[in-house]
Amino acid sequence: MKVNVHYSNLHLDELYFSGKTSVVIDVLRASTVIVTALANGAREVIPVGTVDFAMKVSGNAFGGQTILCGERNTKKVEGFNLGNSPSEYKPEIVSGKSIILYTTNGSRAVVKAKFSENLFICCFNNLPAMAKHLLALNKDVEIICAGTNGNFNLEDAVCAGRLIKEMEIENPDIEISDSGKASLVLNKDFGKTIKKMLKETEHGKLLSENGFGADIKDCAEFGTTDLIPFYLSGAIKKLEAGTQNNPVNENKSS
Ligand code: MLT
Protein backbone atom coordinates (compact mmCIF):
# COMPACT_ATOMS: atom_id res chain seq x y z
CA MET A 1 0.00 0.00 0.00
CA LYS A 2 1.49 3.32 -1.11
CA VAL A 3 0.52 6.75 0.20
CA ASN A 4 1.22 9.92 -1.76
CA VAL A 5 0.52 13.58 -0.97
CA HIS A 6 -0.26 16.47 -3.35
CA TYR A 7 0.23 19.91 -1.81
CA SER A 8 -1.80 21.51 -4.60
CA ASN A 9 -4.06 20.11 -7.30
CA LEU A 10 -3.54 22.91 -9.79
CA HIS A 11 -1.11 20.92 -11.93
CA LEU A 12 -3.22 17.77 -11.95
CA ASP A 13 -5.71 16.82 -14.64
CA GLU A 14 -9.11 15.49 -13.53
CA LEU A 15 -8.34 12.22 -15.29
CA TYR A 16 -5.26 11.69 -13.10
CA PHE A 17 -7.65 10.52 -10.40
CA SER A 18 -9.60 7.90 -12.33
CA GLY A 19 -9.33 4.53 -10.63
CA LYS A 20 -7.57 6.07 -7.59
CA THR A 21 -8.47 6.15 -3.92
CA SER A 22 -8.27 9.81 -2.93
CA VAL A 23 -8.68 11.85 0.23
CA VAL A 24 -9.28 15.61 0.10
CA ILE A 25 -8.10 17.73 3.05
CA ASP A 26 -9.06 21.37 3.59
CA VAL A 27 -8.76 21.82 7.35
CA LEU A 28 -9.59 25.59 7.30
CA ARG A 29 -12.46 25.12 6.72
CA ALA A 30 -14.21 23.22 3.93
CA SER A 31 -13.44 19.65 4.96
CA THR A 32 -14.32 20.48 8.59
CA VAL A 33 -17.60 21.99 7.41
CA ILE A 34 -18.43 18.90 5.31
CA VAL A 35 -17.78 16.57 8.25
CA THR A 36 -19.77 18.81 10.64
CA ALA A 37 -22.75 19.15 8.28
CA LEU A 38 -23.03 15.39 7.73
CA ALA A 39 -22.49 14.66 11.44
CA ASN A 40 -25.37 17.05 12.20
CA GLY A 41 -27.76 15.24 9.87
CA ALA A 42 -27.36 16.87 6.47
CA ARG A 43 -28.58 14.50 3.74
CA GLU A 44 -25.65 15.32 1.46
CA VAL A 45 -23.16 17.99 0.50
CA ILE A 46 -22.97 18.87 -3.18
CA PRO A 47 -19.55 20.40 -3.87
CA VAL A 48 -19.40 22.87 -6.75
CA GLY A 49 -16.54 24.62 -8.51
CA THR A 50 -18.13 28.03 -9.16
CA VAL A 51 -20.68 30.34 -7.55
CA ASP A 52 -22.63 30.40 -10.84
CA PHE A 53 -22.92 26.62 -10.82
CA ALA A 54 -24.04 26.72 -7.17
CA MET A 55 -26.85 29.11 -8.19
CA LYS A 56 -27.79 26.90 -11.14
CA VAL A 57 -27.94 23.73 -9.02
CA SER A 58 -30.04 25.47 -6.37
CA GLY A 59 -32.36 26.86 -9.06
CA ASN A 60 -33.14 23.31 -10.17
CA ALA A 61 -33.69 22.04 -6.64
CA PHE A 62 -36.90 21.75 -4.65
CA GLY A 63 -37.39 24.72 -2.31
CA GLY A 64 -36.79 24.23 1.39
CA GLN A 65 -34.71 21.05 1.10
CA THR A 66 -31.63 22.70 -0.36
CA ILE A 67 -29.41 25.37 1.13
CA LEU A 68 -26.69 27.37 -0.56
CA CYS A 69 -23.50 27.58 1.46
CA GLY A 70 -19.88 28.60 1.29
CA GLU A 71 -17.47 31.48 1.14
CA ARG A 72 -15.50 33.87 -1.01
CA ASN A 73 -12.47 35.46 0.64
CA THR A 74 -13.58 33.70 3.87
CA LYS A 75 -16.97 35.53 3.91
CA LYS A 76 -20.46 34.23 3.13
CA VAL A 77 -21.30 34.70 -0.53
CA GLU A 78 -24.04 37.29 -1.08
CA GLY A 79 -27.40 35.56 -1.37
CA PHE A 80 -26.17 32.31 0.22
CA ASN A 81 -27.84 30.85 3.31
CA LEU A 82 -24.69 29.93 5.24
CA GLY A 83 -21.03 30.82 5.16
CA ASN A 84 -18.15 28.45 5.87
CA SER A 85 -18.01 28.34 9.68
CA PRO A 86 -18.53 24.82 11.10
CA SER A 87 -20.63 26.31 13.94
CA GLU A 88 -23.26 27.51 11.44
CA TYR A 89 -24.06 23.93 10.45
CA LYS A 90 -26.29 23.18 13.44
CA PRO A 91 -28.60 20.12 13.43
CA GLU A 92 -31.74 22.30 13.42
CA ILE A 93 -30.49 24.08 10.30
CA VAL A 94 -28.94 21.28 8.23
CA SER A 95 -30.79 18.12 9.23
CA GLY A 96 -32.29 16.41 6.16
CA LYS A 97 -30.99 19.14 3.84
CA SER A 98 -28.94 19.01 0.66
CA ILE A 99 -26.11 21.48 1.04
CA ILE A 100 -24.70 23.05 -2.08
CA LEU A 101 -21.17 24.05 -1.11
CA TYR A 102 -18.88 26.45 -2.92
CA THR A 103 -15.55 27.33 -1.33
CA THR A 104 -12.42 28.90 -2.79
CA ASN A 105 -10.23 25.82 -2.53
CA GLY A 106 -11.93 22.90 -0.76
CA SER A 107 -15.07 22.27 -2.81
CA ARG A 108 -13.04 22.80 -5.96
CA ALA A 109 -10.47 20.20 -4.88
CA VAL A 110 -13.27 17.66 -4.42
CA VAL A 111 -14.66 18.48 -7.87
CA LYS A 112 -11.17 18.08 -9.34
CA ALA A 113 -10.86 14.57 -7.86
CA LYS A 114 -14.40 13.49 -8.81
CA PHE A 115 -13.27 10.67 -11.11
CA SER A 116 -11.58 8.83 -8.25
CA GLU A 117 -12.77 5.29 -7.67
CA ASN A 118 -13.05 6.11 -3.96
CA LEU A 119 -13.11 9.72 -2.81
CA PHE A 120 -13.15 10.65 0.88
CA ILE A 121 -12.99 13.88 2.88
CA CYS A 122 -10.74 14.27 5.92
CA CYS A 123 -10.09 16.89 8.58
CA PHE A 124 -8.71 16.63 12.12
CA ASN A 125 -12.23 15.87 13.49
CA ASN A 126 -12.49 12.51 11.67
CA LEU A 127 -8.80 11.74 11.12
CA PRO A 128 -8.38 8.57 13.25
CA ALA A 129 -11.51 7.02 11.68
CA MET A 130 -10.26 7.96 8.21
CA ALA A 131 -6.88 6.32 8.88
CA LYS A 132 -8.58 3.09 10.00
CA HIS A 133 -10.89 3.10 6.99
CA LEU A 134 -8.03 3.56 4.52
CA LEU A 135 -6.05 0.75 6.13
CA ALA A 136 -9.07 -1.56 5.91
CA LEU A 137 -9.52 -0.62 2.25
CA ASN A 138 -5.86 -1.50 1.61
CA LYS A 139 -5.51 0.46 -1.63
CA ASP A 140 -2.89 3.00 -2.67
CA VAL A 141 -3.94 6.44 -1.43
CA GLU A 142 -3.61 9.90 -2.98
CA ILE A 143 -3.98 12.63 -0.36
CA ILE A 144 -4.96 15.95 -1.92
CA CYS A 145 -4.29 19.05 0.15
CA ALA A 146 -6.66 21.75 -1.08
CA GLY A 147 -3.99 24.35 -0.29
CA THR A 148 -4.58 28.06 -0.81
CA ASN A 149 -5.15 29.46 -4.29
CA GLY A 150 -3.12 26.68 -5.88
CA ASN A 151 -0.29 27.01 -3.37
CA PHE A 152 0.98 25.00 -0.41
CA ASN A 153 -0.54 25.64 3.00
CA LEU A 154 0.77 24.35 6.30
CA GLU A 155 -2.49 23.23 7.91
CA ASP A 156 -3.42 20.75 5.16
CA ALA A 157 0.15 19.43 4.95
CA VAL A 158 0.28 18.83 8.72
CA CYS A 159 -3.10 17.10 8.62
CA ALA A 160 -1.85 14.87 5.77
CA GLY A 161 1.23 14.03 7.84
CA ARG A 162 -0.89 13.16 10.87
CA LEU A 163 -3.11 10.93 8.72
CA ILE A 164 -0.07 9.07 7.40
CA LYS A 165 1.39 8.80 10.91
CA GLU A 166 -1.82 7.22 12.24
CA MET A 167 -1.75 4.74 9.35
CA GLU A 168 1.94 3.97 9.82
CA ILE A 169 1.45 3.20 13.53
CA GLU A 170 -1.00 0.44 12.56
CA ASN A 171 0.89 -0.69 9.48
CA PRO A 172 4.63 0.13 9.49
CA ASP A 173 4.94 -1.47 6.05
CA ILE A 174 3.02 1.20 4.14
CA GLU A 175 5.12 2.76 1.41
CA ILE A 176 5.33 6.54 1.74
CA SER A 177 6.24 8.84 -1.18
CA ASP A 178 8.77 11.67 -0.78
CA SER A 179 5.95 14.22 -0.45
CA GLY A 180 4.33 11.96 2.15
CA LYS A 181 7.60 11.79 4.13
CA ALA A 182 7.81 15.60 4.03
CA SER A 183 4.30 15.82 5.50
CA LEU A 184 5.37 13.50 8.34
CA VAL A 185 8.21 15.89 9.21
CA LEU A 186 5.86 18.88 9.08
CA ASN A 187 3.43 17.11 11.39
CA LYS A 188 6.25 16.29 13.81
CA ASP A 189 7.41 19.91 13.88
CA PHE A 190 4.10 21.76 13.83
CA GLY A 191 1.39 19.28 14.75
CA LYS A 192 1.93 18.93 18.51
CA THR A 193 -0.66 21.58 19.38
CA ILE A 194 -3.10 21.64 16.51
CA LYS A 195 -5.00 24.75 17.62
CA LYS A 196 -1.80 26.78 18.04
CA MET A 197 -0.53 25.61 14.65
CA LEU A 198 -3.81 26.56 12.94
CA LYS A 199 -3.89 29.96 14.63
CA GLU A 200 -0.40 30.77 13.40
CA THR A 201 -0.92 29.78 9.75
CA GLU A 202 -1.51 32.46 7.12
CA HIS A 203 -5.10 31.38 6.63
CA GLY A 204 -5.66 31.08 10.38
CA LYS A 205 -4.51 34.68 10.81
CA LEU A 206 -6.78 35.83 7.98
CA LEU A 207 -9.75 34.04 9.55
CA SER A 208 -9.06 35.77 12.88
CA GLU A 209 -8.71 39.17 11.17
CA ASN A 210 -12.05 38.63 9.44
CA GLY A 211 -13.86 37.69 12.65
CA PHE A 212 -13.78 33.90 12.28
CA GLY A 213 -11.17 33.17 14.95
CA ALA A 214 -13.63 30.93 16.85
CA ASP A 215 -13.72 28.52 13.89
CA ILE A 216 -10.12 27.56 14.58
CA LYS A 217 -11.10 25.75 17.76
CA ASP A 218 -13.72 23.68 15.87
CA CYS A 219 -11.25 22.86 13.09
CA ALA A 220 -8.62 21.79 15.66
CA GLU A 221 -10.82 19.18 17.40
CA PHE A 222 -9.11 15.81 16.97
CA GLY A 223 -10.98 12.54 16.52
CA THR A 224 -14.37 13.80 17.66
CA THR A 225 -16.31 11.74 15.10
CA ASP A 226 -16.01 8.44 13.23
CA LEU A 227 -17.85 9.86 10.26
CA ILE A 228 -16.38 9.09 6.82
CA PRO A 229 -17.70 11.37 4.07
CA PHE A 230 -17.49 9.83 0.59
CA TYR A 231 -18.24 11.34 -2.81
CA LEU A 232 -20.42 9.53 -5.30
CA SER A 233 -22.17 10.82 -8.42
CA GLY A 234 -22.01 14.50 -7.55
CA ALA A 235 -22.72 14.37 -3.82
CA ILE A 236 -20.82 13.73 -0.59
CA LYS A 237 -22.63 11.46 1.83
CA LYS A 238 -21.91 9.73 5.11
CA LEU A 239 -20.53 6.20 4.77
CA GLU A 240 -22.83 3.92 6.71
CA ALA A 241 -21.19 2.01 9.60
CA GLY A 242 -19.83 -1.38 8.65
CA THR A 243 -19.49 -0.48 4.96
CA GLN A 244 -15.98 -1.22 3.75
CA ASN A 245 -16.13 0.71 0.56
CA ASN A 246 -18.47 3.04 -1.23
CA PRO A 247 -21.64 1.47 -2.67
CA VAL A 248 -20.50 1.67 -6.29
CA ASN A 249 -17.40 -0.37 -5.60
CA GLU A 250 -19.31 -2.90 -3.53
CA ASN A 251 -21.56 -3.40 -6.53
CA LYS A 252 -18.53 -3.78 -8.77
CA SER A 253 -17.00 -6.50 -6.63
CA SER A 254 -20.26 -8.44 -6.14
C1 MLT B 1 -11.52 27.16 1.05
O1 MLT B 1 -12.10 26.26 0.45
O2 MLT B 1 -10.68 27.87 0.53
C2 MLT B 1 -11.79 27.43 2.50
O3 MLT B 1 -12.43 26.48 3.12
C3 MLT B 1 -11.65 28.83 2.88
C4 MLT B 1 -12.30 29.28 4.15
O4 MLT B 1 -13.24 28.68 4.63
O5 MLT B 1 -11.89 30.30 4.67
Side-chain angles (χ1 to χ4, degrees):
M1 179 180 191
K2 186 169 178 181
V3 186
N4 186 32
V5 177
H6 300 277
Y7 293 112
S8 161
N9 58 65
L10 207 60
H11 61 292
L12 296 169
D13 188 82
E14 287 180 337
L15 294 177
Y16 171 85
F17 294 100
S18 52
K20 300 224 163 49
T21 290
S22 311
V23 181
V24 170
I25 295 176
D26 182 6
V27 173
L28 296 175
R29 299 163 288 174
S31 57
T32 311
V33 155
I34 292 167
V35 168
T36 305
L38 293 173
N40 287 343
R43 201 168 88 85
E44 61 191 1
V45 177
I46 300 170
V48 293
T50 63
V51 170
D52 283 353
F53 194 61
M55 298 291 195
K56 206 165 161 183
V57 175
S58 79
N60 290 334
F62 296 113
Q65 293 312 309
T66 303
I67 46 180
L68 260 175
C69 307
E71 58 71 43
R72 230 185 206 155
N73 300 325
T74 74
K75 296 175 187 143
K76 186 171 91 167
V77 181
E78 211 186 312
F80 277 26
N81 303 97
L82 301 180
N84 206 31
S85 294
S87 57
E88 292 177 90
Y89 292 72
K90 293 185 176 39
E92 59 273 27
I93 294 171
V94 301
S95 182
K97 299 277 175 22
S98 289
I99 296 188
I100 301 167
L101 185 69
Y102 167 81
T103 72
T104 315
N105 305 283
S107 69
R108 292 162 75 184
V110 179
V111 172
K112 186 70 164 291
K114 67 184 172 199
F115 293 130
S116 301
E117 184 176 354
N118 302 293
L119 175 51
F120 304 109
I121 316 297
C122 180
C123 61
F124 285 113
N125 301 175
N126 71 338
L127 190 148
M130 193 70 249
K132 274 199 196 95
H133 188 70
L134 293 170
L135 287 169
L137 209 52
N138 198 23
K139 299 210 173 195
D140 292 350
V141 179
E142 301 283 330
I143 300 175
I144 305 138
C145 297
T148 304
N149 301 325
N151 294 314
F152 173 93
N153 75 29
L154 186 63
E155 61 273 21
D156 295 343
V158 169
C159 187
R162 184 65 187 265
L163 181 60
I164 297 176
K165 185 183 157 206
E166 297 285 320
M167 292 169 74
E168 203 186 19
I169 290 169
E170 293 300 318
N171 179 359
D173 294 331
I174 58 172
E175 199 183 326
I176 302 168
S177 70
D178 287 357
S179 55
K181 285 178 187 159
S183 74
L184 280 171
V185 175
L186 290 171
N187 175 59
K188 202 169 170 193
D189 269 22
F190 294 98
K192 285 184 194 84
T193 317
I194 298 170
K195 190 173 156 201
K196 183 171 179 288
M197 179 273 295
L198 293 180
K199 242 179 152 164
E200 289 172 2
T201 60
E202 291 171 1
H203 198 65
K205 285 180 187 158
L206 180 66
L207 287 173
S208 298
E209 276 164 32
N210 289 352
F212 301 112
D215 293 357
I216 290 171
K217 183 179 164 293
D218 295 327
C219 296
E221 301 279 356
F222 185 81
T224 47
T225 175
D226 285 343
L227 193 137
I228 307 286
F230 75 94
Y231 174 97
L232 183 65
S233 309
I236 302 165
K237 294 192 175 163
K238 167 180 164 182
L239 194 72
E240 291 309 328
T243 317
Q244 268 303 306
N245 209 330
N246 77 43
V248 156
N249 299 311
E250 286 196 338
N251 291 343
K252 269 187 202 160
S253 58
S254 59

